[in-house]
Amino acid sequence: MADDYAFPKGELMRGKKGLVMGVANHNSIAWGIASQLAAQGAEMAFTYQGEELERRVRPLAESIGVKTLIPADVTDDASMDKAFEIIEQEFGTLDFVVHSVAFANKNELKGSFVDNTTREGFLLAMNISAFSFVDVAKRASKIMPNGGSLITMTYLGSERTIPNYNTMGVAKAALEASTRYIARDLGPKGIRANAISAGAMRTLALAGISGGRGMIAQGRAFSAMKEDTSMEGVAGCALWLASDLGKSTTGEVVHVDAGFHMMGMPDAEEA
């Protein structure tokens, strides 16, 4: 598992301590990012929710030297209080946070947004996918005395309608707006907040969307580069934003999707 992403070793993150939220398995974007940060010398803690996820995450964490695994439910204040208490005890201060947490009910990720979205499902998606980043930023900023970097994950469905993305697209739009407000509020403390808008990739999140696998093929066919979004590219962007190379960059949504986001329409022979 440690060799899933063989990133070159370096020193760019040596001495940096951070929190990665959202590692689910070896295909998750959070895992790809964590692997890159570890290769550059970062010390990290992972959060997980529930025993099943812990069983998946622990071997991954151990394979890159992550010793601190913390249970955390982003919908529960007491759980988050405890999680950040442990982080402060273990690390003292933080330099970066990678937030890769999102959820919407599967039955709302298909068909009509208007007809299938429920009040309960809408609020749940907003709570987990958008508000959780606000809450994490509030907590993490208290233990970032030397400034730092907050990174979250989004997708193009926040900007444009994507079939079946529905409630998640609206939640991601709120997440991106929240990122800008977080960047404004925490900027004077030297804390940067940015979002990475990755193209469709083979993750558990994509599997939960009706027709999700087809999004990968379409993304490749209609992208400027005619290639899949690579984990190396997404992880490299996160490395830039988390490291000192990312200084002066805040409040941004950085697209890493082989140029899919900027295409107006496919070439005639591709349509």
Side-chain angles (χ1 to χ4, degrees), residues 49-64:
Q49 183 177 353
E51 292 182 2
E52 182 179 349
L53 269 179
E54 182 186 9
R55 285 194 294 271
R56 294 182 195 166
V57 172
R58 187 169 292 280
L60 293 171
E62 292 173 350
S63 74
I64 57 172

Side-chain angles (χ1 to χ4, degrees), residues 17 44 46 52-53 75-76 80 96 102 114-115 119 124 134-136 160 195 198 211 241 244 250 255-256:
K17 296 174 288 187
M44 289 170 285
F46 286 179
E52 182 179 349
L53 269 179
T75 68
D76 183 83
M80 293 298 286
F96 65 89
V114 172
D115 291 338
R119 185 187 304 275
L124 180 64
V134 181
D135 186 47
V136 167
R160 305 178 186 182
L241 292 172
D244 291 340
T250 194
H255 295 86
V256 185

Side-chain angles (χ1 to χ4, degrees), residues 67-221:
K67 299 176 182 178
T68 304
L69 276 76
I70 305 167
D73 180 350
V74 297
T75 68
D76 183 83
D77 285 337
S79 175
M80 293 298 286
D81 288 344
K82 182 63 176 177
F84 273 84
E85 180 182 325
I86 294 171
I87 292 165
E88 188 169 10
Q89 288 174 352
E90 292 292 323
F91 287 172
T93 61
L94 283 178
D95 298 294
F96 65 89
V97 174
V98 176
H99 171 274
S100 185
V101 179
F103 179 82
N105 288 326
K106 190 171 183 178
N107 61 351
E108 298 189 11
L109 298 177
K110 61 183 178 181
S112 169
F113 168 67
V114 172
D115 291 338
N116 292 343
T117 303
T118 64
R119 185 187 304 275
E120 179 183 10
F122 187 93
L123 295 176
L124 180 64
M126 293 291 281
N127 189 9
I128 296 176
S129 309
F131 177 73
S132 66
F133 188 48
V134 181
D135 186 47
V136 167
K138 180 179 180 180
R139 296 172 185 278
S141 64
K142 294 177 180 178
I143 50 175
M144 287 182 160
N146 303 313
S149 176
L150 305 171
I151 302 169
T152 191
M153 301 304 304
T154 186
Y155 176 63
L156 188 63
S158 63
E159 305 171 41
R160 305 178 186 182
T161 61
I162 302 292
N164 303 310
Y165 204 58
N166 297 359
T167 305
M168 186 58 77
V170 178
K172 290 295 190 182
L175 174 66
E176 291 178 14
S178 297
T179 300
R180 290 186 285 272
Y181 280 94
I182 291 167
R184 182 198 66 180
D185 283 1
L186 299 183
K189 298 180 179 180
I191 298 172
R192 298 174 287 112
N194 295 284
I196 298 174
S197 185
M201 301 175 72
R202 297 185 186 281
T203 63
L204 281 176
L206 187 73
I209 301 169
S210 179
R213 295 302 184 189
M215 292 167 64
I216 297 176
Q218 287 184 319
R220 177 175 60 252

